[in-house]
Amino acid sequence: MCLENFSSQVVERHNKPEIEAQTTKEALLTPVQISRNENEKVLVEPSINSIRISIKIKQADDLERILCATFTRFLMMRAENFVVLRRKAIKGYDISFLITNFHTEQMYKHKLVDFIIQFMEEVDKEISEMKLSINARARIVAESYLQQFS
Amino acid sequence: MILLEERNRILEETFRERFSRPVEEAERIFLTLHDFDGVSYLVETKESKSIVLFSMSMKCYPELRQYGADNVLFREYGSLFQAAPEPGFEVTLRIDEAALAGQNTEELVKKLALLKRNALAAPFEAAFYAQSQGQQTNIMTVNYRDQEAIYIMGFPDRVTVIFSTVFKEEADQIFGRVFLQEFVDARRQPAIQNAPQVLYSAREPPLELRGLRLSDAENIGYVTFVLFPRHFTPGPIREETISRIQLFRDYLHYHIKASKAYMHSRMRARVESFLKVLNRAKPEKPEDQKEKKTMAGKTFKR
């Protein structure tokens, strides 16, 4: 994650994350996609002053899909607090991060990387936990109701 | 609080409080309140301070009247039941507190809180009766909510109760499916093997209702309860079963919403923890206004 300051070459006195603006092709580096399988992948798009990381979270069935969608919506609504989160995910992915040189100047780089990795692990864990708790709850609800009839 | 109650607590407490005071101290009352399924009540003293008019507005009452609801209410409330309800309402009970004086009113209080349940019990009782005679009834439809209905059919050997329920949001639909699948599977447990059989169909109306040409939209589900004679033997078991079945739809939706709320609070907590991790990435800012000392000994804030 070697990001340096880079003023916009298109508009004077502007400083944009080049990966978002995509105006000067020579400032962009090759994107890398790392996928475990069709349903889980990470896309890393670097440029000279910013880097965009998009994650597609594993969603096996309807319930996980809904949980994932709600969860990412929660996070993206609070993108201001998160600073490095992007408000909208890239098409084909569930959530995206945008890290600019300003962020790396203000925060420790290795901690940022730690954060992203921990995020990926925790999201999967959280969604599985929520799914388990819903199933357990459903079982209890059904049992309580039907037990009244015995 | 997992199970919903079939009696209306507010009504029960209002009446209990009223009847416990002597008739001379009776005050005017004008109380409106709402219950499940769009039912609303009005308790008022119109004619005099000691005569209470207790009215219920229930949109589906005309249908229930077809199935004998008037008889049921007359049986339960006797002379309190008014043949002509107040304008704007479907059922009115007229309670003369002077006539009650001295009697034990606890029974009456409990019965009054069950007004909605008793009204809705009519088609169930009709179906149970038909089954006990070995007859088959037509499909009895009760459109108790805007787009949802209960269908009751008595057969010679069982009674089938079918709920059609609408899930307004996609999340509700998916949660509902998970919950209802558990209802269907719950009979595997030895403890509840005697419970009624539950069947669930996501969009298609079940076979018994094919004749009615019901909607099969994406967000509709049909839940069928098959009740055998042991579930409605006359007496307390029958009364309990009727009360429980009536509340099924509200019970289901209540728990779906409670689950959603729980998920939300869990996600919020998780988001907080992520934020904490991220903040660890920021180096500590130098404290504002730290006191500093120069070589000469002067202190100042910078």
Side-chain angles (χ1 to χ4, degrees), chain B residues 11 26 42 53 55 68 77 97 146 163 178 180 214 221 249 268:
Chain B
L11 280 179
L42 171 62
L53 287 173
S55 309
Y77 302 106
E97 291 189 18
D146 261 335
F163 287 85
V178 174
L180 288 168
L214 298 166
R249 184 257 173 219
R268 229 172 278 134

Side-chain angles (χ1 to χ4, degrees), chain B residues 10-43:
Chain B
I10 303 180
L11 280 179
E12 194 179 313
E13 283 172 12
T14 310
F15 282 119
R16 184 175 290 138
E17 213 224 315
R18 251 194 104 78
F19 297 157
S20 63
R21 277 185 284 150
V23 183
E24 299 78 43
E25 289 179 26
E27 292 171 358
R28 292 200 184 284
I29 181 171
F30 188 86
L31 175 68
T32 45
L33 60 112
H34 295 265
D35 205 341
F36 288 122
D37 307 326
V39 168
S40 60
Y41 304 107
L42 171 62
V43 180

